[in-house]
Amino acid sequence: MLDKRKRLISVLAAVIIVFAAIGLRFVSFDNNIELMLPANQEILRSMRFLRESNISDKVILSLKLKSPEHTTHDLIQAVEKLEKSLNPPLITEVISGVSKSDLMQEMHSFLKYVPQLLNEQDLSKIAKQITNEGVKTSLSRDYRQLLTPGSGFVTPFIQSDPLGIKTGFLSNIQKLSGSLGYKVQIKDGHFISRNGRNAMLILKTLVRLTDGFGSKKLVAYLHKQLESLPEFISSDIIAGHIHTISNEDVIKRDIRLTLIIASVAFLLLFLFIFRDIRAILIFLIPLISVLVSINLSAIVLGKLSYFIIGMGAVIAGIAVDYGIHVYLAVRTGAGRSDAVKKIIKPVIIAALTTISVFAAFFFSSVQGYHQLAFFSILSIILCLICALFVLPRLLSGKHYEKLPAMLKQGSSMRSQVFDRACVACWGVIIIAAIVLLRQVEFNSDISQLDGSKPEVIQTEQEFHNVWGGADRPAILVVSGENLEEALQLNERIYTEAVNEVGLSSFAELWLSNKTRTANSARWNKFWREGREAKLKELLLEHGQAYHFSDDAFSPFFRHLYTEEIIENIPEGLTFFDRLKERFILKKADEYQVLSFFPDKDKYVKALSAVSSRYPNTFLVSRNAFSYMLSKAISSEVIFLSGIAGLLILILTCLLLRNIRLTALALVPVITGITLILGIMSVIGLSLNAPCVIAAIIVIGLCIDYGIFMVYTCAYNLKTGTRMAVSLSALTTVIGAGALLFAMHPVLFSIGITLVIGVTGGYVSALLVIPSLHRLTHPDPLLKREGKGFPFSVKRRG
Amino acid sequence: MNKIEMILFALLISLFPLNGYAEQSVEDVLIRLEEKMSDIKTLQTGFVQEKKLAIFDRKIILKGKIFLKKPNLFAWHTEEPTLYSMIIRDDVILQWDEDIDQIQKVSMKDNPAFQTVVGQMRKWLSGIYMSLLEEYSVIILGQTPVSLKFVPRENTMAYNIISHVRIVFREDERYIQEIYIKEKTGDSTLLRFTDTLLNIPVDAAAWEVKPRAR
């Protein structure tokens, strides 16, 4: 009958494992970093802006001539061939340069709008030029330029603008075009590097950065097309999509590797120590629990973050503790399943303290933490149920041999000298760690959480060496219900901010309809007030000295008065379309006009002050983002630590019902956290958000060790608790230690924090708590044996 | 030898010089010229420039001197019809003329039109003609002295402006004898170099922009 039940349970477990493993294939994973960010309005807005704007979704191809025998001309031919091969649906547009001949013509065409763009101050300056001296100066300059050998290029500009009124706009076009940030020159209409050895193509795609599947398809397509390049040309793809794929690959590899390392280590540990094939069951319980939890979490929560799933090994390391306690109880109870009853309460309470820590994450505003809490609590509950109700049935009925010697309860009676030395050493270590922790830094740079492979980063570095553009500017975003409203607000802010910050603003080139209409009326009035006639007269008079013909400047007068005011922005000018793409974003229900500026603290602060006065504006700055993130995470950490600390304190107090013992139980917590901060500082690692999560988990684990050890000391128990705590810590360190082999920085940060914290907490629980207990209370609570012991564990022997 | 054979022989003979030309590709000629001009560290030369532009009511003849010191110094001083000096050091232009009588400092970055003009001027005077192959197709007009015709390719900046540029080199091929630029509007510029001195130390005053008197 018993065998039948065991067989049934085994078959059921096998079926669950198979289904859970199959279910993994259907679980949607998400590596979106936003999940791990606090729900701070400003942070989310910046992230949303970057995600929804087309700034980050572009793909850049950088082609390089490998052989010195080939010329730029060969490179351009290859670019043209490649350009033709890149097609929809994955590539919607290819920009490989701009025709310089068109650019000159387009610039000339654009200059007809200049009268609409000049304000009252500009007209005052022009008025000062319509004098004998002013005209003479202008004509002299024009004359000099016309006498140089390459004058053909400036003749049309001079004829249509003898006073050089529009020259400023040519520099503005140049400045704004250059604000793309790349060091390019145009050769035969193509983007070529300064040394003539590299070409650049900018590709537009509808594939979003966060779309892992789409990114893979896109990159595979590009690699295939790049295969057709001649042998003398090498190519690099620069795109956020590469990071998406690389991160996904790295995380998947890490999860696989850490699970294998942890599994092998668990198996060897149990088989070596327990020398019993059934010890595998201890290992299988957390594995099944984690697998089932992933499936259930996916059903409840939808997409799961890879970062959270990466915690699977850690959760397994934590959840395996319950199986260890049950196994040891069954073995010490000579194979009787009812022996488990004695440890049900302490195991449940240990699980509750751990659950309380994870439950604290539900109070966080970080969506990813909610997933972590749900997934971890579910895993722990499943593991607890299996450990308490399934494992004893599978272990019962067998006669167990005595445990190996190393598992036997060690003596808790030590000399006072040893206790004092132990406590003194602990004190020195804690003081040293406290001194060191002042140097620890919190690193809020989001890019540190990018786990892309080194070759991806190196390729980007080489790209920036050739093309520049490594210093990404900060962005001021101005929104409006329609383009006109957004442009009007953009102008107001530009006027206010331009003197403080070197803004690269669309307002330097184009204005709202309202402003242009007013400017145009003012311009026409300006010339009709007799200035047209006066300028004609002065040009004729002083032009003679320079041998200008009578009709030299007739193009200027022919188009003097402004034509129809266009509603929005000029169409059909390629250079303008490119600038529009960079500076104007059309959203579903609004327009955004962007301005770019150097991402320096002083400028960000100055523009933040301006932006705060206009509700429809915000800044997107890496520096500001880091600052906001740091602030938000700090408050999040304080809040979560507070809740976790409070929950643990309440549970510990309720369990121990003694202030002194509660204080002793907190020793591993204090040790673990202090050592994390101190050692991180010594080994030169900075704290980050994943570290903080791991540190909070350390609190939950260490308090368990504290509680068990305090009870062992206080009641001089011989229930294998010391062994159980040791194995619990060891399994957790194995689970977390496996993460030290992870390439992804997030998983590595969690691993290192857990290993330091749990090791420190465990050692202090094992050595310091007994010593402190004996020193502070030499007469153990033996006399009170059985009284007030909520676990109902009786002293043995 | 019959009549047909004689005609064929005569044709063959007459083709020899052409074959001699054909053996020398444009690239070969440009490389040869670049090599000969590559050892120029300094240059000082007089020039006479004839400008026939529709914007002027007459042909303008300009006389002056050009100084060049590799890698980054260029000076353009005119004596007729006006006194004018322009020094280009990297991206900065210093200029003075007798009418305004003020020294002006201009950054080429702030003046794209002037940047283009200066770029063209440097291009023709530098002697680095191989790089021009990307913008121009080149035809050899003559070998002694070497005479080249540059026709802008489509999609280049010069295409809409310049019809062609003709350059005639000195006999020793160490520098240019004259440059003729024909524009699509019909305007033209002819620049002749005289008294050219190569690799002679240039007087420091050549790199100074200061008021001059006639």
Side-chain angles (χ1 to χ4, degrees):
Chain A
M1 182 68 184
L2 198 65
D3 279 348
K4 255 188 178 178
R5 195 183 289 167
K6 278 183 188 174
R7 214 171 294 137
L8 186 70
I9 292 170
S10 304
V11 170
L12 198 65
V15 169
I16 291 171
I17 291 176
V18 170
F19 274 97
I22 294 169
L24 281 183
R25 298 186 66 83
F26 300 99
V27 174
S28 301
F29 293 107
D30 196 345
N31 62 11
N32 189 352
I33 196 74
E34 278 179 65
L35 279 173
M36 302 305 289
L37 300 179
N40 173 295
Q41 278 308 309
E42 286 180 86
I43 290 170
L44 291 180
R45 191 171 54 187
S46 294
M47 286 301 288
R48 202 177 304 124
F49 169 80
L50 290 171
R51 190 183 62 226
E52 290 174 1
S53 67
N54 53 12
I55 293 169
S56 48
D57 286 347
K58 278 183 185 143
V59 177
I60 296 175
L61 297 182
S62 180
L63 308 188
K64 185 182 174 185
L65 279 172
K66 288 195 284 187
S67 148
E69 290 147 25
H70 293 91
T71 64
T72 314
H73 189 61
D74 301 323
L75 183 64
I76 287 171
Q77 278 186 328
V79 167
E80 284 172 353
K81 202 175 159 197
L82 177 66
E83 193 175 345
K84 282 175 196 154
S85 73
L86 299 168
N87 297 310
L90 288 170
I91 303 298
T92 50
E93 194 184 341
V94 183
I95 306 159
S96 64
V98 54
S99 163
K100 246 191 171 177
S101 62
D102 292 346
L103 185 65
M104 291 294 281
Q105 276 185 330
E106 286 188 356
M107 280 186 172
H108 198 247
S109 303
F110 177 77
L111 292 182
K112 72 180 176 202
Y113 298 115
V114 168
Q116 303 173 27
L117 305 172
L118 296 173
N119 60 27
E120 209 162 351
Q121 286 173 324
D122 297 322
L123 292 185
S124 304
K125 283 182 198 163
I126 296 170
K128 284 176 192 163
Q129 282 183 276
I130 309 173
T131 58
N132 282 318
E133 256 334 281
V135 169
K136 214 175 143 187
T137 306
S138 298
L139 288 176
S140 167
R141 184 194 58 226
D142 295 342
Y143 181 68
R144 283 198 313 264
Q145 289 198 6
L146 287 165
L147 290 187
T148 55
S151 63
F153 292 91
V154 287
T155 308
F157 291 97
I158 289 173
Q159 284 185 303
S160 59
D161 182 23
L163 299 181
I165 296 166
K166 302 169 183 175
T167 312
F169 281 87
L170 291 178
S171 341
N172 286 352
I173 293 170
Q174 184 151 303
K175 183 187 153 198
L176 293 185
S177 302
S179 67
L180 292 165
Y182 295 117
K183 292 182 275 185
V184 294
Q185 55 172 333
I186 307 293
K187 277 206 171 172
D188 281 4
H190 293 87
F191 294 135
I192 302 293
S193 63
R194 299 262 166 93
N195 63 5
R197 308 292 298 168
N198 305 70
M200 179 163 71
L201 292 96
I202 300 169
L203 317 182
K204 287 190 192 171
T205 176
L206 296 175
V207 179
R208 289 282 176 194
L209 283 182
T210 47
D211 176 3
F213 181 71
S215 295
K216 271 185 196 161
K217 215 170 150 187
L218 172 70
V219 172
Y221 172 75
L222 290 175
H223 278 305
K224 196 180 168 204
Q225 303 312 108
L226 289 169
E227 278 172 14
S228 63
L229 284 172
E231 275 181 18
F232 57 86
I233 290 178
S234 64
S235 61
D236 287 320
I237 305 171
I238 308 295
H241 305 83
I242 299 281
H243 285 257
T244 304
I245 296 169
S246 188
N247 266 287
E248 207 171 300
D249 287 348
V250 168
I251 293 172
K252 276 183 178 169
R253 170 216 166 266
D254 284 349
I255 290 173
R256 242 186 342 257
L257 181 73
T258 53
L259 281 176
I260 290 170
I261 292 173
S263 303
V264 170
F266 285 156
L267 272 172
L268 290 176
L269 179 75
F270 296 142
L271 291 176
F272 175 70
I273 292 179
F274 297 128
R275 295 172 193 173
D276 174 20
I277 193 72
R278 294 189 190 201
I280 292 174
L281 294 169
I282 307 173
F283 158 74
L284 283 178
I285 287 172
L287 179 72
I288 296 171
S289 306
V290 167
L291 284 178
V292 172
S293 293
I294 291 175
N295 283 277
L296 292 177
S297 301
I299 292 167
V300 176
L301 303 169
K303 272 190 173 182
L304 294 182
S305 168
Y306 269 121
F307 303 115
I308 306 306
I309 301 309
M311 292 284 287
V314 178
I315 304 299
I318 295 169
V320 80
D321 296 359
Y322 317 126
I324 293 169
H325 282 282
V326 169
Y327 180 85
L328 280 172
V330 172
R331 272 192 87 164
T332 48
R336 297 191 324 272
S337 63
D338 60 343
V340 177
K341 284 177 187 167
K342 288 182 183 173
I343 51 114
I344 282 182
K345 277 189 183 173
V347 167
I348 289 176
I349 289 175
L352 279 177
T353 51
T354 310
I355 286 173
S356 72
V357 168
F358 284 111
F361 286 110
F362 278 124
F363 294 94
S364 164
S365 64
V366 181
Q367 208 192 328
Y369 292 0
H370 299 172
Q371 283 195 8
L372 174 67
F374 187 86
F375 167 66
S376 309
I377 291 172
L378 195 61
S379 300
I380 289 167
I381 290 172
L382 285 174
C383 202
L384 187 66
I385 292 169
C386 290
L388 292 179
F389 303 109
V390 180
L391 187 62
R393 293 180 192 285
L394 294 173
L395 294 174
S396 63
K398 187 189 171 187
H399 175 72
Y400 288 95
E401 286 177 13
K402 281 188 174 179
L403 287 169
M406 63 178 290
L407 284 183
K408 284 180 183 166
Q409 187 72 40
S411 168
S412 59
M413 298 307 288
R414 305 273 186 193
S415 68
Q416 274 211 346
V417 176
F418 173 82
D419 289 340
R420 282 189 182 137
C422 193
V423 172
C425 281
W426 174 73
V428 168
I429 291 169
I430 293 298
I431 290 167
I434 289 171
V435 171
L436 288 168
L437 71 83
R438 293 168 69 184
Q439 295 167 21
V440 78
E441 284 176 3
F442 189 84
N443 189 346
S444 56
D445 182 3
I446 202 161
S447 64
Q448 64 163 327
L449 306 180
D450 179 6
S452 297
K453 292 172 189 165
E455 53 264 34
V456 173
I457 309 297
Q458 196 188 334
T459 304
E460 285 182 2
Q461 186 60 50
E462 282 165 13
F463 173 84
H464 290 307
N465 288 345
V466 174
W467 299 102
D471 296 326
R472 276 173 280 182
I475 307 167
L476 169 70
V477 185
V478 173
S479 310
E481 276 182 22
N482 51 53
L483 183 58
E484 176 65 14
E485 194 183 304
L487 286 173
Q488 281 184 29
L489 183 56
N490 189 50
E491 282 160 35
R492 276 218 300 281
I493 292 183
Y494 175 69
T495 315
E496 210 172 307
V498 70
N499 293 329
E500 293 182 59
V501 183
L503 266 183
S504 184
S505 169
F506 198 62
E508 292 172 87
L509 199 62
W510 197 249
L511 302 169
S512 64
N513 185 301
K514 186 184 168 193
T515 310
R516 280 182 290 114
T517 307
N519 286 347
S520 179
R522 199 182 301 115
W523 168 272
N524 289 343
K525 185 169 173 275
F526 175 85
W527 290 105
R528 287 196 177 108
E529 283 170 346
R531 289 191 178 90
E532 179 190 357
K534 190 178 174 190
L535 181 62
K536 268 184 185 168
E537 192 184 308
L538 289 170
L539 287 172
L540 267 177
E541 183 186 335
H542 297 289
Q544 282 173 2
Y546 297 101
H547 312 297
F548 281 111
S549 59
D550 290 351
D551 60 350
F553 306 109
S554 56
F556 174 73
F557 292 102
R558 217 166 29 238
H559 303 290
L560 182 60
Y561 294 100
T562 54
E563 292 159 21
E564 196 185 338
I565 307 289
I566 53 171
E567 179 67 25
N568 281 321
I569 43 184
E571 301 288 342
L573 301 175
T574 314
F575 84 91
F576 202 86
D577 289 343
R578 296 270 174 267
L579 289 173
K580 190 179 80 183
E581 269 175 34
R582 180 163 161 77
F583 286 91
I584 297 174
L585 298 178
K586 189 179 184 306
K587 299 291 170 106
D589 52 355
E590 64 173 14
Y591 276 86
Q592 289 179 335
V593 180
L594 319 183
S595 299
F596 300 86
F597 61 98
D599 199 353
K600 303 260 191 277
D601 272 358
K602 59 176 180 177
Y603 299 135
V604 171
K605 276 179 190 160
L607 269 182
S608 294
V610 176
S611 173
S612 64
R613 293 194 285 274
Y614 298 94
N616 286 341
T617 65
F618 62 91
L619 298 182
V620 180
S621 141
R622 284 170 74 85
N623 288 340
F625 187 78
S626 277
Y627 173 72
M628 283 189 289
L629 200 60
S630 182
K631 218 168 112 183
I633 289 176
S634 304
S635 50
E636 190 80 20
V637 167
I638 293 166
F639 177 66
L640 289 181
S641 310
I643 289 181
L646 200 67
L647 286 171
I648 282 168
L649 206 64
I650 290 168
L651 276 170
T652 314
C653 276
L654 280 174
L655 175 68
L656 299 176
R657 296 175 200 167
N658 182 309
I659 299 292
R660 190 179 69 85
L661 293 183
T662 304
L664 282 178
L666 287 172
V667 164
V669 175
I670 294 163
T671 311
I673 297 301
T674 319
L675 284 182
I676 288 171
L677 299 171
I679 293 177
M680 293 283 256
S681 146
V682 169
I683 59 178
L685 290 176
S686 49
L687 273 183
N688 53 31
C691 285
V692 173
I693 307 167
I696 295 173
I697 296 171
V698 166
I699 296 174
L701 291 168
C702 289
I703 194 71
D704 285 356
Y705 307 151
I707 291 167
F708 278 116
M709 283 312 296
V710 160
Y711 254 93
T712 306
C713 297
Y715 297 96
N716 199 17
L717 300 179
K718 307 286 184 192
T719 53
T721 312
R722 192 183 288 263
M723 187 66 242
V725 166
S726 299
L727 278 175
S728 297
L730 196 57
T731 49
T732 306
V733 169
I734 288 171
L739 294 182
L740 297 183
F741 295 93
M743 274 172 66
H744 201 284
V746 170
L747 298 181
F748 180 81
S749 295
I750 292 170
I752 191 107
T753 312
L754 284 172
V755 168
I756 297 172
V758 169
T759 308
Y762 162 69
V763 173
S764 67
L766 210 67
L767 298 175
V768 182
I769 289 179
S771 295
L772 267 176
H773 173 70
R774 283 190 293 269
L775 290 172
T776 55
H777 201 277
D779 178 23
L781 302 177
L782 295 175
K783 290 170 190 169
R784 287 167 52 200
E785 183 185 326
K787 290 176 189 171
F789 186 7
F791 294 173
S792 301
V793 176
K794 302 286 181 191
R795 184 182 156 222
R796 290 164 61 91
Chain B
M1 191 178 280
N2 62 29
K3 205 173 174 182
I4 294 171
E5 282 172 333
M6 278 179 68
I7 293 168
L8 282 172
F9 181 70
L11 273 174
L12 205 63
I13 293 293
S14 67
L15 281 172
F16 269 125
L18 287 179
N19 282 340
Y21 272 24
E23 277 169 17
Q24 287 240 304
S25 70
V26 168
E27 279 87 354
D28 290 340
V29 173
L30 293 181
I31 289 168
R32 190 183 75 219
L33 290 168
E34 264 197 38
E35 275 173 9
K36 287 196 175 178
M37 290 170 78
S38 64
D39 68 341
I40 298 176
K41 302 285 179 271
T42 65
L43 161 86
Q44 44 188 308
T45 180
F47 71 87
V48 178
Q49 181 185 257
E50 287 179 28
K51 279 253 176 206
K52 287 182 191 166
L53 307 184
I55 199 169
F56 294 127
D57 59 9
R58 67 193 68 180
K59 181 165 79 180
I60 309 284
I61 296 174
L62 199 71
K63 289 180 182 171
K65 280 185 176 170
I66 290 171
F67 299 89
L68 190 144
K69 187 178 179 185
K70 284 183 179 174
N72 61 348
L73 269 172
F74 177 83
W76 167 273
H77 298 285
T78 68
E79 275 117 36
E80 286 179 37
T82 58
L83 289 175
Y84 169 64
S85 295
M86 173 175 70
I87 311 291
I88 304 172
R89 193 188 295 263
D90 298 320
D91 278 344
V92 177
I93 301 169
L94 283 172
Q95 54 183 353
W96 170 89
D97 77 79
E98 63 180 328
D99 293 344
I100 309 297
D101 198 18
Q102 276 177 355
I103 296 167
Q104 293 176 307
K105 190 177 177 181
V106 184
S107 167
M108 279 212 275
K109 285 177 189 161
D110 297 335
N111 195 329
F114 206 53
Q115 194 179 345
T116 309
V117 169
V118 170
Q120 285 294 314
M121 199 155 69
R122 275 181 167 175
K123 202 171 276 184
W124 299 118
L125 302 180
S126 66
I128 309 164
Y129 296 121
M130 271 303 282
S131 64
L132 288 173
L133 275 178
E134 281 149 23
E135 275 185 84
Y136 297 86
S137 57
V138 185
I139 302 158
I140 302 172
L141 296 175
Q143 287 282 10
T144 44
V146 172
S147 171
L148 304 173
K149 185 178 176 182
F150 293 77
V151 181
R153 294 182 194 274
E154 270 189 75
N155 288 326
T156 60
M157 193 168 65
Y159 182 74
N160 289 323
I161 309 288
I162 294 172
S163 166
H164 66 266
V165 177
R166 192 188 67 225
I167 299 184
V168 180
F169 291 81
R170 295 194 329 194
E171 292 284 340
D172 63 1
E173 297 181 351
R174 293 204 63 206
Y175 202 66
I176 306 157
Q177 194 175 305
E178 68 173 48
I179 299 174
Y180 174 75
I181 303 170
K182 182 77 177 173
E183 289 165 23
K184 288 201 167 160
T185 56
D187 289 350
S188 66
T189 302
L190 176 64
L191 189 62
R192 282 203 189 92
F193 298 95
T194 55
D195 308 322
T196 304
L197 297 171
L198 302 172
N199 296 331
I200 302 289
V202 178
D203 186 356
W207 313 118
E208 288 173 10
V209 173
K210 55 186 179 187
R212 288 187 282 150
R214 282 183 184 276

